[in-house]
Amino acid sequence: MGSEPHVNNPVEPRTLQIILFGLGGVGQALLRQLLDQRAQVAAHYGVALNVLALADSSALLAPAETGATLDEAALRRALAAKAQGGTLASLDDAQAVQQPENALRLFAGPLAPHTVVVDCTATEATIPALLMALDAGCKMVLANKKPLTVQQEVYNRLTRAGVTSAGAPIATGRVRWETTCGAGLPVIGTLHRLRMSGDPVHKMAGALSGTLGYVMTGLQQGLPLSAVVREAHRLGYTEPDPRDDLGGLDVARKALILARGLGWEMELADVEVESLYPAQMAGLSVAGFLAALPELDAGFAEKVQAAAADGGVLRYAAVVEEGTCRVGPTVVPAVSPLGMLSGADNLIEFHTRWYAPAPLVIQGRGAGANATAAGVLSDIVELGHTH
């Protein structure tokens, strides 16, 4: 005998008011997804998503009327301006700002617990605005790694219970930063759940850069480093200057966030980082760097062959273990999850008391504007269920 389909009882949506910093690739993708998904989010999750203000490095766009929100037409105009390579300052009703915290001061509406400040920039300049928003009682979602990888004190204020500048306590649970490590992959949430369950994490090892994963896969296939990097650069897989990827600093930031997530007190300078290129290549132009890369081919071919002789493969890995955090070319067993990884996917192994001898593994696309924006949207909706 069949049963009637279950129908959820309608609930009054809980309203979130969003202030978005950053309208680059991730910020624009988030705004598009928000416009496409907010009716479904309200219907299925009881969270109404409104946009109070948008800010890029040039200007703030907010309604003239206090307490109002930006309508869909205004949001579409902002997206169109950015898609054409412009800035919010090109819009007639935008207000010029010099620093992100000034955007909050210019914003006429109330900053309250139902306000969510979303940071989709890639700059440390937002930190004063983020701390100001916390002091005002706002919630927060970070896709920007830099606020979490500056001084430990800033990380602590953003992620833990503490005190505001006025001495009032900061409630926990008002900040989400899932997409700072692995885009939409549930890396930070998994780490938190393991710690909350009392399962100690002894080691984390991961490939946290799609670009460097692509490079390592090419080396394993027998290609010269110079050929792989040039092809990745041509395809747009690397930053305009490939050294921004090959130097390992972005991976180091992600590793530091994971280490701090274990409760470690550590600064970025404490992370051991081994670059894929020597220091003497740092001063070259991009063209000069690409031209000089063949000088490194023989050395990397030897490393790949030596790893294979020992039953291993070379990966650019972050390893967080025994109080140390190191990032660089690492030989791992060919039959391990990291060893079997190929292509541009991210992967992280959690080695714990209960996940032993085989680790808990998370793998998937760890970069891209749409994947990252989807993770940010999920964080926002999740905050809609917290008090």
Side-chain angles (χ1 to χ4, degrees), residues 138-286:
C138 298
K139 297 179 180 181
M140 190 173 301
V141 173
L142 303 175
N144 181 9
K145 293 181 284 292
K146 291 185 178 178
L148 298 178
T149 55
V150 294
Q151 297 86 350
Q152 180 79 46
E153 182 269 338
V154 175
Y155 175 91
N156 291 348
R157 284 193 65 188
L158 291 173
T159 65
R160 303 179 187 175
V163 295
T164 68
S165 57
I170 293 176
T172 58
R174 293 193 285 122
V175 183
R176 297 288 184 274
W177 60 98
E178 184 63 75
T179 58
T180 59
C181 189
L185 298 179
V187 174
I188 303 298
T190 298
L191 176 57
H192 289 168
R193 289 177 66 85
L194 288 170
R195 293 195 70 203
M196 286 188 292
S197 73
D199 187 7
V201 179
H202 305 302
K203 175 182 177 180
M204 291 179 283
L208 302 176
S209 165
T211 301
L212 293 174
Y214 178 88
V215 171
M216 292 295 113
T217 297
L219 289 176
Q220 188 177 344
Q221 293 169 346
L223 299 173
L225 176 72
S226 58
V228 180
V229 172
R230 286 170 179 167
E231 180 67 2
H233 186 253
R234 185 186 69 82
L235 294 172
Y237 292 170
T238 71
E239 295 294 328
D241 186 339
R243 285 167 293 193
D244 292 342
D245 298 293
L246 302 179
L249 181 58
D250 185 65
V251 177
R253 290 186 187 279
K254 295 174 183 177
L256 178 61
I257 291 170
L258 291 175
R260 286 177 167 177
L262 286 174
W264 295 2
E265 299 280 321
M266 177 177 282
E267 301 294 341
L268 188 59
D270 298 324
V271 181
E272 303 170 22
V273 184
E274 182 180 348
S275 170
L276 289 181
Y277 65 89
Q280 58 265 33
M281 286 188 172
L284 300 174
S285 66
V286 173

Side-chain angles (χ1 to χ4, degrees), residues 88-105:
L88 291 182
S90 66
L91 302 176
D92 293 339
D93 48 351
Q95 303 176 68
V97 292
Q98 297 300 317
Q99 297 293 337
E101 64 266 30
N102 291 340
L104 291 185
R105 293 190 180 102

Side-chain angles (χ1 to χ4, degrees), residues 329-386:
T330 305
V331 177
V332 300
V335 295
S336 66
L338 262 178
M340 292 185 285
L341 179 68
S342 65
D345 272 6
N346 279 196
L347 182 147
I348 185 164
E349 304 172 355
F350 292 94
H351 298 260
T352 77
R353 174 172 56 186
W354 305 129
Y355 288 95
L360 170 61
V361 177
I362 297 173
Q363 178 181 349
R365 183 175 182 178
N370 285 317
T372 304
V376 172
L377 182 57
S378 177
D379 275 351
I380 294 170
V381 175
E382 186 177 90
L383 281 176
H385 292 282
T386 63

